[in-house]
Amino acid sequence: MHAQLGFCGGNSGDPIFTEDFGSGTTDGPELPAGTTTYNFTTGTPNDGEYTISSTTNYFDWLSLQDHTPGDSNGKAFIVNASFTAGEFYQRQVTGLCENTTYEFSSWLINLQSANSCEGNSIPVNVRFQIWDETDTNMLAQGDTGSIPATGTTEWEQYALVFKTEPGQTSVILKMRNNSNGGCGNDVAIDDILFRSCGDNVTVATAADEASLVVCEDQGGISRTLTATPDSSVFSTHAYQWQQSTDQQTWTDIPEENSAVFDTPAVTATTYFRTKIAEDIINVNNDLCNVVSDVFDITVLPIPAAPTSNGDVTICEGELGTLTVNTQNSYSINWYDAAIGGNLILSDNQNLEIGIAGTYYAEANSTEIECASTTRTAVTLTVNPSPVVPDDSSTFLCEDSSTSLDAEIENVTYQWSTGATTQQIDVAEPGEYDVIITNTNGCSATRKFTVEQIDLPRIDKIVSDGPTIVVSTANGGNFEYSLDGRSFQPSPFFDAVAGGFYTIYVQDNTNCGVVTEDFYHLVIPKFFTPNGDTFNDIFAPDGLEVFNSVTISIFDRYGKLLKFGNTNSTSWDGTFQGERLPEDDYWYLITADSIQLKGNFSLKR
């Protein structure tokens, strides 16, 4: 039985063999003799050919970079499969340890685009084999399975785990095409790697800490670490603890060869791990051992105090933003005291506030509590704004102007009209405002509402019996008068004798008076000729002012009942000596050039 493809299930050792095929812009060099049966080319590889190149820009293949991280013009093994399936690569790997489990891995990518071969591209399918050094005993093999042409530029890693036999220190790696060539089955291979495979080894403290972050001001920190292998590969365990400051260079710690290790007092970031092997003889042979998980003790330096961007001055009613800068993206906390005090705002380089005072910014680590030893003071000064009178409303008489006064001195003014004086004259109704700025540069705004008072506009004046009724075409707080001296709020003048009058109308804000002459003719609405000497005759009042007057009275059928002139303008309700019945009657009065018509009632 041979292992299928799969990665080491535990921890791995450092790489003991790598092949990244180099770098450069020139194709090659050709692989050593015996490595492949394919033909080398420095140009486009055809079926059964290969090249070592930093480009894959051949045919309609994907154009991509090699896999090796950090390479500049890194190369890969570019293979155009032969028409006949079979082996295309073999390489001997030496210097292994006997009875040791290893992981082989390599990165592959199908070079065909998604639309190659009209969508019928032959998939890549590679078999990895590990043989003993005699090339007669296969230790393990596994297939990638079909890798279709999807057009992705992401490399995929494949791995195979195997174990060397007693006395065996080298193996032969072989790669075979499981598919014939043709349109498709074009592959790039990079970063072939061998490394030892062992138990999954965790490192933790008794409190189950897998790492530790501390602040520099905590002094030397130490921990008791325990390495715990899962025994999935090794049956026995030998240890050698190591430490590093960069996880690149590791140094053995003398006499630390057990599963439990007490770290020294750490004052700077240090990393610890243990090498592990089944035999003490192999623990220091990097071809045979594996390494555990790394336990980090990260010592954070105490942050420097933040740098202030300057004190801030604002005006009353505004918000000021206090800001500081800090290195390494530390968190900033704001306090109301240089030491202790109350936390105002956390994790923000900007403090927005409107209360005058000095505030203190402290830098702190974003990982743990590790604060600067001092805090940076930033002061907010709040200057008073001008105290202005309340907004006001005023009135503007029609066709006149009024004065607006800011009513505060020793400041500057900016009116919405563009004026810059304390007072302005306006002749239009509307909204006006003035921005008042004091010597601190602080401003306040006062608003004025100007309403126009329109002069009354008399619409009509009528006589309603002895009452004069005045109507206006516009509304307002109007007052009315018949003599221009005594005004009343009512537009009705009752019991007014007939005659010529001048009607006066004014607004009660004294914006002006309008007048109109009116002839008031008092025509009774009814009369009662019943002999009681009260209202016995129909007699219009006010006709005496006219030079020539005629009056005609008719019944409802148009029959003339009375005709009189200037000397006879009344009627007693009779016709040819006969008393007429109760009814409505009509009159026609001609006074000089004026003609008046209407009706009245006779009641008995």
Side-chain angles (χ1 to χ4, degrees), residues 212-277:
L212 189 63
V213 180
V214 297
C215 186
E216 184 180 15
D217 64 2
Q218 292 181 247
I221 298 296
S222 62
R223 286 290 188 273
T224 297
L225 307 181
T226 300
T228 305
D230 65 0
S231 299
S232 60
V233 177
F234 296 159
S235 57
T236 60
H237 304 89
Y239 303 90
Q240 174 58 63
W241 286 91
Q242 296 181 304
Q243 68 181 31
S244 173
T245 58
D246 59 6
Q247 296 200 76
Q248 300 297 319
T249 302
W250 291 89
T251 303
D252 290 346
I253 303 173
E255 300 180 2
E256 295 296 342
N257 306 111
S258 69
V260 179
F261 165 58
D262 292 322
T263 72
V266 171
T267 58
T269 297
T270 307
Y271 307 94
F272 297 95
R273 74 180 186 183
T274 181
K275 296 184 290 187
I276 188 167

Side-chain angles (χ1 to χ4, degrees), residues 1-6 102 127-132 135-143 159-165 168 172 174 176:
M1 296 293 292
H2 301 294
Q4 297 301 307
L5 288 186
Y102 290 93
R127 173 172 296 170
F128 301 110
Q129 294 179 335
I130 305 295
W131 292 76
D132 68 4
D135 200 14
T136 58
N137 182 26
M138 185 168 62
L139 305 180
Q141 73 172 352
D143 296 328
L160 182 64
V161 176
F162 67 93
K163 186 174 183 179
T164 57
E165 296 178 343
Q168 182 179 18
I172 298 173
K174 295 183 180 182
R176 296 177 57 87

Side-chain angles (χ1 to χ4, degrees), residues 524 526-539 570-574 579 600-604:
F526 64 92
F527 75 110
T528 56
N530 54 13
D532 62 0
T533 70
F534 178 75
N535 202 21
D536 276 342
I537 61 173
F538 173 75
S570 63
W571 182 49
D572 62 1
T574 64
R579 298 171 63 191
F600 61 94
S601 296
L602 185 156
K603 296 182 180 181
R604 296 192 180 277

Side-chain angles (χ1 to χ4, degrees), residues 20 85 108 127 144 168 188 214 243 289 364 389 414 464 480 535:
D20 63 8
L108 278 71
R127 173 172 296 170
T144 63
Q168 182 179 18
V214 297
Q243 68 181 31
N289 61 29
N364 206 328
Q414 183 61 59
D464 186 10
Y480 307 84
N535 202 21

